[in-house]
Amino acid sequence: MAVTASRVISFARGVPAPECLAVDELAECARAVLERDGKTILSYGPGAGYTPLRELIGEWFGVSASRVVITNGSLNGFVLLSQRLARGKNTIVELPTYDRAIKILLESGATVTAVGMDDDGMVADELERQLRQAPDTAFVYTIPTFQNPTGRTMSEERRKQVVEIAKSANVTLFEDDPYSLVRFDGERLPSLFDLTGKESIYSSSFSKTISPGLRVGFFILPEALATEIGDIATSTYITPVLLAQATVHEFITRGLFEPNLKRVNGLIKARRDAMLGALEKHFSGARWTHPAGGYFVWLDLEPGTDAKEVIARADGVTAVAGPDFGAPANSLRLAYSFVSPEEIETGVERLAAAV
């Protein structure tokens, strides 16, 4: 793919490239569910979501379907959960963390306390100290696998430490896990959800594995809380988008999910490899993460460098500066999922020139 001077190369968009989307297959699935069950899925339905998909997710995770709530993207569920649990309370996040998570928590009336990260994830000693200082904490929010924005993955040993610390403090862990299936290298690590005996809060979505535009996310919650969140969803928007949820269910039950995931991971791995190769080629005096999956690389420029100024000077390249995620001014997030390998090479070269 040729890169023209007029085309903006966006390292800001954490979304799949258009060629990742299985348009024809999804169109067939949507048509099939409409023809088979259109009178149901085009009407109002339960706030907790399309029952067959809830049952399927419950089977995947070894829990009752009554604990599964399907939301209009996982961010929608995050809003509902924060409004229910976090208002007027402390919440703990890792730093840096997803910028929209910070925004949602603050708008929900929560206090946000940050715990630093290292290459193994959230720093356990710091988490323990913060929990001692804030015993009224509603939950600890973490993206342990291929984190947004850093691309880091919490090590297995650190996961066990975090689970033990939260258990000792009697605080809920809220695990946001949209990227773990987008893995290129290495073996899957146990989720915090599994390490807690399936007692923590778990959220994910089909945005990275099937389609972001369908807006199908899900939460696994304690049963009473799942009922509450389903009721809140009903009072908020009356009914979920059953057509989208039924389409996802059809896509999975037709056996399309696994081969599509393999195809998508191949496409995004090529972009990850291009990003790491271009950084190695064009940057010196900087440090960056080496993610084994997901969508993001975190770049730390030399101290004293202003990443926002660098982005502004870069010729037709966009990215997100570290301060948007609560990080230092010399850092930035590079999303490689949307652009082609050729664009990545050109964009990184332009960023390096701007530095």
Side-chain angles (χ1 to χ4, degrees):
M1 177 181 178
V3 181
T4 64
S6 61
R7 179 181 171 90
V8 173
I9 298 172
S10 176
F11 296 145
R13 301 196 68 189
V15 298
E19 55 266 39
C20 292
L21 304 176
V23 176
D24 292 341
E25 292 88 345
L26 287 168
E28 291 176 9
C29 290
R31 177 178 291 277
V33 296
L34 280 169
E35 290 177 345
R36 185 173 64 241
D37 201 21
K39 290 183 179 179
T40 298
I41 61 177
L42 291 178
S43 188
Y44 294 118
Y50 184 61
T51 299
L53 184 56
R54 294 176 69 200
E55 292 172 344
L56 187 151
I57 293 169
E59 290 173 8
W60 278 1
F61 288 87
V63 299
S64 167
S66 60
R67 293 185 58 187
V68 179
V69 179
I70 305 175
T71 55
N72 299 326
S74 59
L75 273 181
N76 168 241
F78 196 148
V79 171
L80 300 179
L81 193 70
S82 297
Q83 291 174 347
R84 170 63 184 82
L85 296 182
R87 189 179 305 279
K89 293 189 176 181
N90 183 57
T91 56
I92 291 179
V93 303
E94 53 211 357
L95 191 69
T97 193
Y98 185 27
D99 52 345
R100 295 196 183 190
I102 298 172
K103 183 174 183 289
I104 288 169
L105 289 170
L106 292 175
E107 289 181 348
S108 297
T111 300
V112 179
T113 301
V115 169
M117 297 180 72
D118 59 22
D119 288 340
D120 287 326
M122 182 178 284
V123 176
D125 291 346
E126 195 173 330
L127 172 61
E128 192 169 27
R129 184 171 62 253
Q130 292 289 1
L131 285 172
R132 282 198 303 266
Q133 294 173 358
D136 63 336
T137 296
F139 52 72
V140 176
Y141 171 75
T142 177
I143 311 170
T145 306
F146 312 139
Q147 195 237 17
N148 183 2
T150 66
R152 294 186 180 115
T153 293
M154 189 183 291
S155 68
E156 184 168 356
E157 181 59 32
R158 185 67 57 80
R159 290 170 190 241
K160 292 176 180 177
Q161 290 177 316
V162 167
V163 166
E164 186 57 38
I165 290 167
K167 182 180 179 181
S168 296
N170 195 29
V171 170
T172 299
L173 287 174
F174 174 2
E175 178 179 13
D176 193 359
D177 190 34
Y179 304 104
S180 65
L181 293 180
V182 187
R183 175 176 284 278
F184 319 133
D185 308 313
E187 298 297 322
R188 177 186 178 273
L189 295 177
S191 64
L192 301 181
F193 182 69
D194 286 334
L195 291 172
T196 61
K198 305 184 189 299
E199 293 181 356
S200 54
I201 293 173
Y202 180 90
S203 75
S204 189
S205 110
F206 294 100
S207 292
K208 309 303 186 289
T209 55
I210 298 181
S211 160
L214 287 173
R215 308 310 301 140
V216 181
F218 62 91
F219 277 67
I220 303 176
L221 304 163
E223 192 158 339
L225 181 59
T227 299
E228 284 190 65
I229 296 300
D231 291 342
I232 293 170
T234 299
S235 65
T236 302
Y237 46 77
I238 304 178
T239 187
V241 185
L242 297 177
L243 172 57
Q245 296 177 12
T247 299
V248 166
H249 180 262
E250 182 76 8
F251 189 83
I252 296 168
T253 56
R254 285 190 176 201
L256 298 172
F257 183 80
E258 291 295 339
N260 184 67
L261 180 63
K262 183 177 180 180
R263 181 184 68 85
V264 168
N265 284 0
L267 290 168
I268 299 181
K269 180 182 185 297
R271 289 158 166 79
R272 189 279 311 262
D273 293 346
M275 177 65 76
L276 295 180
L279 288 167
E280 189 68 37
K281 179 179 178 181
H282 296 292
F283 271 86
S284 61
R287 296 177 65 251
W288 53 88
T289 55
H290 293 73
Y295 277 27
F296 308 108
V297 165
W298 186 253
L299 178 63
D300 286 314
L301 303 173
E302 292 191 49
T305 307
D306 189 322
K308 287 188 176 181
E309 290 184 3
V310 170
I311 295 166
R313 285 197 302 268
D315 179 21
V317 179
T318 62
V320 185
D324 285 12
F325 307 100
N330 66 315
S331 58
L332 64 157
R333 187 192 75 175
L334 301 175
Y336 48 77
S337 56
F338 183 71
V339 284
S340 69
E342 294 80 11
E343 288 175 310
I344 288 170
E345 169 71 22
T346 301
V348 170
E349 183 177 11
R350 291 177 185 176
L351 273 177
V355 174

